[in-house]
Amino acid sequence: QSVLTQPPSVSAAPGQRVIISCSGSRSNIGDNYVSWYQQLPGTAPKLLIYDNNERPSGIPDRFSGSRSDTSATLGITGLQTGDEADYYCATWDSRLNTALFGTGTRVSVL
Amino acid sequence: QVQLQESGPGLVKPSETLSLTCTVSGGSISNYFWTWIRQPPGKGLEYIGYIYYSGTTSHNPSLKGRVTISVDTSKNSFSLQLTSVTAADTAVYFCARGGFSAYTQGHFFDHWGLGTLVSVSS
């Protein structure tokens, strides 16, 4: 059902930077705040970013978020092997009246 | 630190009702939104719905009215019922807390349970 599109995978070498995009529409990203989650293998998702660009306590500033029009991005700098995980964007959809998750992006550290 | 723990049967027969409970510890269930989210094996996350501690609910319209979410403040817990299940409902089911910020209420999820796998099979 997801209408939030993410690239299936991104990869980079340790220490490098990756950017994950999340593309939506006016009724979701265009009208509501975006959050981002990290899901390590076999674990529950963990909140990384809320309100487009805010980090919860304990999340390092290597993780950053932004939103522009109907798209959002998650940036990870100083990539570490421990960052290998699936990443999901999420937001509310005002037309469907439900929360939506993105299709998910797997980050690999080369 | 708030902790959430899902509980319920790991196997449900087709056409029957899936029932799960999420028990909240380390904090009160009051004044927050509480949600259910699921993840089919090898697939992405799907939002099921939420309940506010006062009892207001909302659910994903894609589940076509099969969802009931209830809260028991005396037990600091909330529950999910999903009726008429099929194999497509096989998933890891997570409960999560809806966070509050200056701009949003309940639209992001700041604490999660570990998840519980529910398989639908005869």
Side-chain angles (χ1 to χ4, degrees):
Chain A
Q1 185 215 14
S2 178
V3 295
L4 301 182
T5 303
Q6 300 178 229
S9 63
V10 296
S11 60
Q16 297 298 304
R17 178 191 186 206
V18 295
I19 294 178
I20 301 170
S21 61
C22 176
S23 178
S25 66
R26 191 165 305 279
S27 66
N28 41 70
I29 294 178
D31 198 32
N32 294 283
Y33 290 88
V34 177
S35 54
W36 289 89
Y37 303 85
Q38 176 194 60
Q39 187 175 30
L40 297 170
T43 70
K46 175 183 178 181
L47 178 66
L48 288 179
I49 297 288
Y50 66 97
D51 287 356
N52 300 334
N53 55 19
E54 297 292 330
R55 286 185 308 276
S57 174
I59 300 300
D61 59 6
R62 300 189 300 107
F63 296 92
S64 63
S66 66
R67 182 191 72 170
S68 178
D69 197 15
T70 59
S71 293
T73 60
L74 173 71
I76 310 173
T77 59
L79 200 62
Q80 302 173 1
T81 55
D83 297 331
E84 289 199 319
D86 294 325
Y87 292 81
Y88 294 91
C89 60
T91 189
W92 192 261
D93 190 295
S94 303
R95 179 177 63 85
L96 298 174
N97 198 30
T98 187
L100 297 174
F101 285 95
T103 50
T105 298
R106 178 153 296 178
V107 170
S108 299
V109 182
L110 302 174
Chain B
Q1 174 75 326
V2 173
Q3 292 186 314
L4 294 83
Q5 177 68 59
E6 304 89 351
S7 60
L11 181 64
V12 181
K13 290 182 168 54
S15 79
E16 295 190 345
T17 296
L18 179 159
S19 296
L20 295 173
T21 295
C22 181
T23 302
V24 180
S25 60
S28 174
I29 205 165
S30 298
N31 302 315
Y32 282 98
F33 290 87
W34 301 95
T35 66
W36 288 99
I37 294 159
R38 70 180 182 178
Q39 185 172 36
K43 296 189 178 180
L45 300 167
E46 180 183 26
Y47 180 80
I48 297 172
Y50 74 73
I51 188 164
Y52 192 50
Y53 79 102
S54 61
T56 302
T57 61
S58 178
H59 63 267
N60 191 329
S62 71
L63 292 167
K64 296 179 173 57
R66 297 191 294 131
V67 173
T68 300
I69 301 175
S70 58
V71 65
D72 187 337
T73 54
S74 68
K75 295 182 178 179
N76 229 37
S77 68
F78 62 105
S79 298
L80 169 70
Q81 288 194 316
L82 182 65
T83 61
S84 305
V85 297
T86 69
D89 295 309
T90 294
V92 175
Y93 285 75
F94 296 100
C95 57
R97 190 181 80 169
F100 271 79
S101 74
Y103 304 109
T104 58
Q105 297 180 8
H107 289 181
F108 61 93
F109 316 108
D110 59 1
H111 289 85
W112 295 65
L114 297 178
T116 187
L117 174 62
V118 179
S119 299
V120 178
S121 175
S122 54

